[in-house]
Amino acid sequence: MSSKLERKQAAAEAALESIRKGCRLGLGCGSTVNEFIRLLGEKVRRGFSVRAIAACTQSEAVAREAGVPLEESSEDLFPLDVLVDGADEVDIRMRLIKGGGGALLHEKVLAFSTYKFIVIAEGEKLVDELGKFPLPVEVAPFGFAGTLKRIRKEAARVGCVGDIALRRDGKGKVFVSDAGHWICDCAFGNIPDPESLSIRLDNIAGVMGHGLFLRLASVVLLGKEDGVMVLGDSDGLILR
């Protein structure tokens, strides 16, 4: 597999093999998830059925184009059977940084509401230590300045210091997440203790969510040049 696209498709194909007909399926966000959705659409056109919900508007659009029917959030849809989502970084312990696409709160809601969380990504997303990718933190616009000060203070207490930038769109306007909030991208560098940082961020009023996804992934599928690397429980997966 010489190209990024081929590696993404390989991870997506491996995940698709574990999706059972009629299951309650969460669709995360990102370019690798888009490949999964397109492959799923091919199966749907051949008569395969799922009950799907998408975490972001981009995935919704790709699903509609691919012919994957989506449902509104309803009580009988949860818990999901499977969530398939991407990652901006993953370490060997299957700890993730997510949220580069701007839907991290919706993604985390689905991650906490599923029996099996399958992460798909290309192999270069595997890192020795989380943090090279700036950590997204989703915040309420109200009281933003105070929330930002608190983020800096609490992060510094666990050895995380660096520039924190309010995310903006291509026109220079403040980026608004799928949930209607703002996002701060925290360039802390390596995060020595993700668990402690996660707890501190969770306890800040005004922080709606953050991109540390810890102890949530069931299995990670990484598309590499020589095949698909598997982290975690591969039960039910058929790898090519």
Side-chain angles (χ1 to χ4, degrees):
M1 290 180 284
S2 59
S3 71
K4 276 190 174 185
L5 178 58
E6 288 174 324
R7 295 193 289 273
K8 291 176 181 180
Q9 289 173 337
E13 287 172 0
L16 186 61
E17 295 289 355
S18 69
I19 306 304
R20 303 301 176 224
K21 189 173 183 178
C23 78
R24 296 163 298 189
L25 175 63
L27 303 173
C29 307
S31 58
T32 308
V33 174
N34 290 345
E35 296 305 317
F36 172 83
I37 295 171
R38 294 184 182 105
L39 291 170
L40 176 63
E42 293 175 7
K43 290 190 69 171
V44 168
R45 290 192 291 274
R46 297 195 299 268
F48 192 79
S49 63
V50 292
R51 299 183 62 194
I53 184 171
C56 63
T57 54
Q58 182 191 44
S59 293
E60 287 178 357
V62 175
R64 291 194 177 95
E65 184 179 353
V68 177
L70 298 175
E71 296 191 15
E72 297 293 331
S73 179
S74 59
E75 190 170 342
D76 71 329
L77 189 61
F78 295 96
L80 301 171
D81 296 306
V82 184
L83 168 64
V84 178
D85 204 350
D88 297 301
E89 281 187 347
V90 56
D91 70 9
I92 199 69
R93 294 168 59 183
M94 299 194 302
R95 299 180 297 187
L96 316 172
I97 285 183
K98 292 180 49 56
L104 71 90
L105 179 58
H106 286 182
E107 291 174 307
K108 188 164 278 189
V109 167
L110 296 187
F112 271 92
S113 304
T114 188
Y115 288 117
K116 188 167 190 175
F117 179 12
I118 301 176
V119 178
I120 55 175
E122 55 184 308
E124 67 181 31
K125 298 298 179 70
L126 181 64
V127 298
D128 293 327
E129 192 170 16
L130 297 179
K132 183 177 180 181
F133 188 92
L135 175 67
V137 179
E138 189 160 343
V139 299
F142 179 79
F144 168 72
T147 302
L148 181 59
K149 286 184 177 180
R150 190 70 175 173
I151 292 171
R152 287 198 178 103
K153 181 179 179 180
E154 294 300 320
R157 286 178 170 172
V158 290
C160 293
V161 179
D163 292 336
I164 300 178
L166 180 61
R167 189 180 299 181
R168 298 185 179 275
D169 63 20
K171 297 180 180 179
K173 295 182 179 180
V174 175
F175 177 89
V176 179
S177 74
D178 281 69
H181 306 126
W182 294 352
I183 292 181
C184 293
D185 292 308
C186 305
F188 294 141
N190 289 342
I191 299 173
D193 188 348
E195 287 76 13
S196 293
L197 178 59
S198 175
I199 291 170
R200 289 185 178 275
L201 292 176
D202 283 335
N203 286 331
I204 298 174
V207 169
M208 313 308 294
H210 56 78
L212 288 170
F213 283 55
L214 310 177
R215 298 183 298 277
L216 290 171
S218 307
V219 61
V220 176
L221 304 174
L222 299 168
K224 300 173 72 69
E225 290 187 4
D226 57 351
V228 177
M229 178 180 180
V230 182
L231 303 177
D233 179 13
S234 60
D235 181 48
L237 294 170
I238 303 173
L239 304 183
R240 300 180 185 278

